[in-house]
Amino acid sequence: MIVAVPYVAFLVALLASGYKLVRGGGVAGLRYLCGAIVCFGAAAAVLAPNTVAFAARHEIIPHGSLLVGNGLIMGGSLCLALLSRTVHSSGRPVVPLTAFVVCYLTMLVLVYSETTESTTHFNDTYGDRPAIALATLICLSYIGWGMCTFFRLLGHYVRHAAEPVLRFGLRVVATGTVFGLSWVAWTAFRAVSRVVHYHPNIEHPPPVSTLLGAIAVLLWALGATLTAWGTHLVRPFRWLRAMRGYRALAPLWSELHAAFPEIALERSTSRLPWDAGFALYRRVIEIRDAHLALRGYFHPDVSVWVRGQDPTVAEAARVAAALVAHAAGHRYLASPAPPHDVGPTVESEAAWLIGVTRAFTGSRTVAEIRRRVQAELGVPAASVTR
């Protein structure tokens, strides 16, 4: 199973990057992100144990697969650094590119300065040589620098992302970067341990490196494309949330509908609305229409009676008193209904009305004001539904 993980990660990286490029056009930042995902995915496949074993038997240049794989990882970090420089337009792309060339050439010189032979376990065989260890650490330093630069950029965008799916996708990408940095730290630890002979009995690399790298690639690919397919995953949760809001508004809506049957925009034949979002939107509109129909029935003294109370309790008290006045057919010359400042979305409007509904059905203050207005207008309590 572990053997197939790097190749699956590479396939996912190719599909995700191709999809993002087709959907996103030729934006420079998107190209760099897709380039990084492809480079990391290709590196996971090239550095997979089976690939390295095959290359060791057939490669003309010793350690070619290892150097190509490391070059791909460095290339992915270069793309991340260029992405960060693209976002911050003051940055100069020549800096990470120059650093890439210098680090990679230095790594080549150090590797080939030692007399080595092709092997499937290069770092375990020659990692105790200072030149090889230095080459590894130079490579890892560049990779870690690029990932850290990208991680700081992600932190900024996660804090300012308004869309939940986008914010979650950025967090998935950030988690992938953490796994990538964990791969860097683990590989650096193994390189240093070989030099200082901290663990000289390691003959074969454990699957930790393979798993960390593959998981990082998968998370980058999934997070980068989450905005496209993630909406389908969250659709059931949005339906449930809208359905809870729809039913939470039922007590208030029922009272208002009994007083003003004409507010119902459409009668549904199903007790379970499949389009719960639209049903919630319709219920919010109908409650607001009933609120407008109550103009002229709002008691002018309720605002004084509920002074200092929670805004939802105050609004519920106004509506309860107005329903009593409407049942009695009593209008007021001055009946102010001060509006409450609510956000412009259906969600914020529904959240406000749900709070009003809870106060309408459960607040002692609202019940007391209802009885007070009934006594004032001489309306029997039984004639006003609750």
Side-chain angles (χ1 to χ4, degrees):
M1 180 64 182
I2 294 178
V3 173
V5 171
Y7 304 105
V8 172
F10 179 43
L11 178 61
V12 172
L14 283 178
L15 294 176
S17 299
Y19 179 81
K20 289 291 288 184
L21 287 174
V22 171
R23 290 286 300 268
V27 181
L30 182 60
R31 291 201 304 269
Y32 288 137
L33 177 61
C34 293
I37 294 174
V38 170
C39 284
F40 289 137
V46 170
L47 295 177
N50 283 7
T51 305
V52 173
F54 176 83
R57 296 192 299 266
H58 299 89
E59 60 189 6
I60 300 175
I61 302 175
H63 323 306
S65 62
L66 176 67
L67 295 174
V68 169
N70 288 340
L72 286 169
I73 302 177
M74 293 177 67
S77 292
L78 170 63
C79 290
L80 294 181
L82 291 175
L83 172 59
S84 301
R85 295 298 177 104
T86 301
V87 174
H88 302 291
S89 56
S90 59
R92 292 177 297 176
V94 69
V95 175
L97 183 59
T98 303
F100 169 81
V101 173
V102 171
C103 290
Y104 191 70
L105 291 179
T106 303
M107 183 180 66
L108 290 179
V109 171
L110 290 171
V111 168
Y112 287 110
S113 66
E114 296 283 349
T115 301
T116 58
E117 297 179 355
S118 294
T119 176
T120 55
H121 306 296
F122 178 79
N123 288 326
D124 296 311
T125 305
Y126 303 108
D128 57 347
R129 301 186 183 185
I132 301 299
L134 181 59
T136 302
L137 292 177
I138 289 174
C139 173
L140 293 174
S141 297
Y142 183 85
I143 296 169
W145 169 75
M147 289 186 181
C148 287
T149 303
F150 181 59
F151 189 77
R152 288 195 300 269
L153 178 68
L154 284 174
H156 170 78
Y157 276 93
V158 167
R159 289 191 299 270
H160 294 85
E163 178 63 32
V165 175
L166 174 60
R167 185 166 57 250
F168 183 71
L170 291 174
R171 286 175 176 167
V172 172
V173 174
T175 304
T177 307
V178 171
F179 273 92
L181 289 171
S182 300
W183 175 87
V184 171
W186 170 254
T187 308
F189 167 76
R190 292 188 61 243
V192 173
S193 67
R194 293 297 297 173
V195 174
V196 300
H197 300 284
Y198 173 72
H199 207 317
N201 295 324
I202 296 180
E203 296 181 357
H204 304 293
V208 176
S209 298
T210 301
L211 288 177
L212 287 176
I215 291 173
V217 173
L218 289 173
L219 290 176
W220 278 320
L222 295 176
T225 57
L226 191 64
T227 53
W229 55 268
T231 53
H232 300 290
L233 292 180
V234 301
R235 187 171 295 169
F237 300 99
R238 288 181 173 176
W239 185 90
L240 288 173
R241 184 172 59 185
M243 194 66 207
R244 285 198 301 267
Y246 176 81
R247 291 187 169 175
L249 292 176
L252 178 61
W253 179 88
S254 298
E255 291 262 6
L256 295 172
H257 180 259
F260 303 99
E262 65 274 12
I263 66 170
L265 301 178
E266 177 184 350
R267 298 301 299 172
S268 174
T269 58
S270 173
R271 300 186 56 160
L272 187 67
W274 293 109
D275 192 350
F278 177 73
L280 176 62
Y281 171 76
R282 190 179 68 190
R283 180 152 284 184
V284 168
I285 294 299
E286 291 172 353
I287 291 175
R288 283 308 186 189
D289 286 345
H291 193 274
L292 291 175
L294 283 174
R295 287 180 304 177
Y297 296 100
F298 287 103
H299 197 293
D301 295 331
V302 172
S303 297
V304 178
W305 297 341
V306 297
R307 185 172 297 165
Q309 295 284 336
D310 184 271
T312 57
V313 174
E315 179 68 12
R318 294 187 191 98
V319 173
L323 285 172
V324 173
H326 177 266
H330 182 82
R331 287 179 172 269
Y332 296 95
L333 295 178
S335 55
H340 185 74
D341 187 19
V342 183
T345 64
V346 176
E347 290 78 10
S348 58
E349 183 78 14
W352 160 253
L353 290 177
I354 288 172
V356 173
T357 302
R358 289 171 180 165
F360 185 82
T361 57
S363 172
R364 293 182 180 180
T365 300
V366 174
E368 177 61 32
I369 289 177
R370 181 186 289 108
R371 288 192 294 268
R372 184 171 181 174
V373 176
Q374 288 171 349
E376 178 183 304
L377 299 178
V379 178
S383 66
V384 181
T385 60
R386 274 213 59 194

